[in-house]
Amino acid sequence: MDTEQITRFVMRYLESTECHILEKTPAYVTVKLSEQADRVLTNRPYYWGFVDRTGAEAETMRFTFVFDPTQMPPETNRGPISYVTSPVTEPTPLPPAANNNGLQDVGLWEASLPLTGEQAQIDTDVNAANVSARPVGHPGSSQTPNQTSTSQAVGEGTGDTIMQRYFGVAPAFTGGGGGIGRIPKDNVNFGSQRLEQIMQAALQGGRYLSLFEESSEAYTGRGQRRSAAYEPYLLLNVKLEFACDLKREELHSFGVSLVSGTIHPHFMELVKDRHLTPKLPANVHTMTWRFTLEQAAHLVEQRIRHLAADYDMSWAVEASERLDEEWERLAAYYEPLIKQEEEAMEPGAVKDANESPQQPLAVELPPRATLDSMLQHLDLENVQQSHAEPTQEPSPQARSAREQFEIRCNEIRWQFEPRITLSVINAALLHLPSGLNG
């Protein structure tokens, strides 16, 4: 997928989940997530559990999805703002150390503090009285009335509060969920974890749908509207997988009419450009079903069986030959180990001289792969693959040689045995006008 395709896919997902787009550029998009998208993408189970239990009003996150990191504008530094609306003041000076003129120094320090309101007026009156009472030449008499009025004006304009003195300033809050003043962002280029998460969310949310085509019937005369007949179709998008030590995957789309049983191949191509809605349009009626969903799925399964029967099966024969070679090589390696282990378990046993030599370790080889044996895993009802990957086992040192041999046999069989599996990607019940061509 290129950048343009990823952008279209992400925007379709955001619009379908009713996210509010705040800013859109070719390089990124900033959105306020809807509740549906927030629950899936933000990984906040404790928060949504709290909302569900208490019934509190949910606050969704804002998020930025980056399509082209090279075209992102540089981040601007946000200036700090105060906890209150007043401007930031200079830091308050600390009191000087005590000396011989301690009272004078403390008085000067207190006079440098910004004062507001009644306290500034009272302190101004006191200072004026003190200055007038002091003799000429006293160190405290250097302050003039003009300086006093200027200090009072500065004190009133600073708007200093107890919050600013003890807690300082705080950065601006923009409503983001990645911390104060930040909106979380993530790249959604091909292969990124965020794009994979969106794809999985779209897959889970759109696995089963029921849609109707929007009606375009017009009036037929004198205010009467003709009722249009809609035919139900079962749409199945499936993945057909041919696997051994190599793998090939094919995507198929089939549409089965639940009225006539007709199978339309490449059905997704026929309906992808139609305008579909989850609501039943006005003046529309649906036709009666003649096939159930299970019967329609069985018809698709039979079609895929006939399709797979026409393929070249030389790949399965070659995979079976490689499986035989791997098993023979595995048996040749474990045979002396198993023999040595069995002899060590019975140290007192004496071997008869006329006893025939021990037979090679028997390996139960599976039958040659045939179309019927591989197609037994072709089941639409079982979406999970029957050949699951072996799970992680404990340390081999804790098992005997025969147990290790059996485990390795199962691993080699899973890796080399040819098989054909079928899984459903998504399904939909579509109601389209009768007489669909294709």
Side-chain angles (χ1 to χ4, degrees):
M1 297 179 67
D2 56 15
T3 303
E4 184 178 356
Q5 294 174 335
I6 293 175
T7 302
R8 289 200 305 266
F9 172 75
V10 174
M11 293 304 301
R12 286 179 57 190
Y13 174 78
L14 296 177
E15 292 172 358
S16 63
T17 54
E18 299 180 353
C19 296
H20 179 60
I21 298 177
L22 302 177
E23 184 179 2
K24 174 67 173 67
T25 66
Y28 67 94
V29 60
T30 301
V31 298
K32 183 173 177 59
L33 299 176
S34 63
E35 181 176 341
Q36 177 184 356
D38 194 295
R39 288 177 179 268
V40 176
L41 300 180
T42 59
N43 191 23
R44 298 194 296 169
Y46 294 105
Y47 172 75
W48 288 111
F50 167 78
V51 171
D52 295 338
R53 290 191 303 270
T54 61
E57 183 178 358
E59 178 64 26
T60 59
M61 291 176 53
R62 301 181 186 183
F63 211 96
T64 298
F65 299 97
V66 181
F67 307 120
D68 190 355
T70 59
Q71 298 183 5
M72 285 290 294
E75 295 186 1
T76 58
N77 296 327
R78 298 183 178 93
I81 64 172
S82 174
Y83 278 106
V84 294
T85 57
S86 60
V88 182
T89 60
E90 295 296 330
T92 302
L94 296 177
N99 50 28
N100 295 333
N101 298 325
L103 295 178
Q104 175 186 356
D105 294 341
V106 172
L108 292 176
W109 171 72
E110 291 180 350
S112 66
L113 294 178
L115 303 176
T116 59
E118 296 180 358
Q119 182 182 0
Q121 182 65 32
I122 295 174
D123 290 351
T124 302
D125 297 339
V126 173
N127 291 335
N130 293 336
V131 170
S132 60
R134 292 171 184 172
V136 179
H138 193 276
S141 64
S142 60
Q143 185 176 4
T144 63
N146 293 333
Q147 293 176 343
T148 304
S149 60
T150 303
S151 300
Q152 178 182 356
V154 172
E156 292 178 353
T158 55
D160 188 25
T161 64
I162 193 67
M163 293 284 289
Q164 291 176 330
R165 293 187 180 185
Y166 287 94
F167 295 100
V169 295
F173 179 69
T174 60
I180 296 179
R182 297 184 181 274
I183 297 179
K185 62 181 179 180
D186 206 347
N187 297 339
V188 287
N189 53 335
F190 186 72
S192 63
Q193 186 176 5
R194 180 65 66 182
L195 181 60
E196 176 67 19
Q197 185 185 30
I198 296 176
M199 288 182 174
Q200 292 297 327
L203 178 62
Q204 296 296 330
R207 186 177 291 274
Y208 304 104
L209 300 174
S210 178
L211 301 173
F212 301 85
E213 184 177 2
E214 294 183 354
S215 176
S216 59
E217 291 290 333
Y219 284 100
T220 59
R222 294 193 178 183
Q224 294 181 357
R225 187 188 294 269
R226 183 179 59 188
S227 179
Y230 272 26
E231 185 175 356
Y233 291 87
L234 175 63
L235 169 64
L236 288 177
N237 294 321
V238 298
K239 180 177 69 174
L240 187 61
E241 181 180 294
F242 303 86
C244 53
D245 53 332
L246 304 175
K247 181 182 291 187
R248 188 184 72 186
E249 296 178 348
E250 295 180 359
L251 300 180
H252 297 272
S253 179
F254 296 96
V256 184
S257 172
L258 301 181
V259 176
S260 62
T262 305
I263 300 179
H264 299 269
H266 311 290
F267 193 67
M268 193 66 188
E269 298 295 328
L270 298 177
V271 301
K272 69 177 184 179
D273 296 330
R274 296 174 179 263
H275 298 284
L276 303 176
T277 176
K279 298 180 180 180
L280 178 66
N283 299 291
V284 167
H285 69 275
T286 59
M287 303 175 65
T288 305
W289 296 12
R290 296 182 181 178
F291 293 85
T292 63
L293 297 178
E294 291 77 10
Q295 292 173 339
H298 182 70
L299 292 176
V300 173
E301 183 179 342
Q302 294 298 325
R303 170 63 70 89
I304 296 178
R305 287 179 179 271
H306 293 298
L307 181 66
D310 296 335
Y311 287 178
D312 182 13
M313 291 298 167
S314 59
W315 65 273
V317 177
E318 296 173 358
S320 298
E321 294 176 354
R322 292 194 296 271
L323 175 62
D324 295 344
E325 295 176 359
E326 289 293 330
W327 261 346
E328 292 174 359
R329 187 179 300 109
L330 190 66
Y333 173 78
Y334 276 99
E335 180 179 357
L337 297 179
I338 295 177
K339 179 180 178 181
Q340 180 180 1
E341 186 178 73
E342 292 177 350
E343 291 178 352
M345 292 177 62
E346 300 178 358
V350 180
K351 184 177 179 180
D352 190 357
N354 298 328
E355 183 181 354
S356 60
Q358 186 175 1
Q359 298 295 328
L361 186 63
V363 179
E364 183 181 357
L365 298 177
R368 289 289 183 179
T370 62
L371 180 62
D372 294 336
S373 64
M374 289 187 294
L375 290 180
Q376 65 182 352
H377 308 299
L378 198 62
D379 188 0
L380 286 175
E381 297 180 358
N382 184 16
V383 178
Q384 301 294 334
Q385 296 183 3
S386 58
H387 286 259
E389 185 177 354
T391 57
Q392 187 69 24
E393 297 290 339
S395 175
Q397 288 76 8
R399 294 189 294 261
S400 63
R402 183 171 293 277
E403 291 176 347
Q404 298 180 28
F405 171 72
E406 294 175 354
I407 293 175
R408 289 290 296 143
C409 285
N410 293 332
E411 293 176 351
I412 291 177
R413 181 172 183 176
W414 171 84
Q415 181 179 2
F416 288 92
E417 185 177 10
R419 57 192 180 272
I420 301 177
T421 57
L422 180 68
S423 60
V424 177
I425 300 176
N426 54 15
L429 180 62
L430 304 181
H431 298 81
L432 307 176
S434 59
L436 178 66
N437 295 326

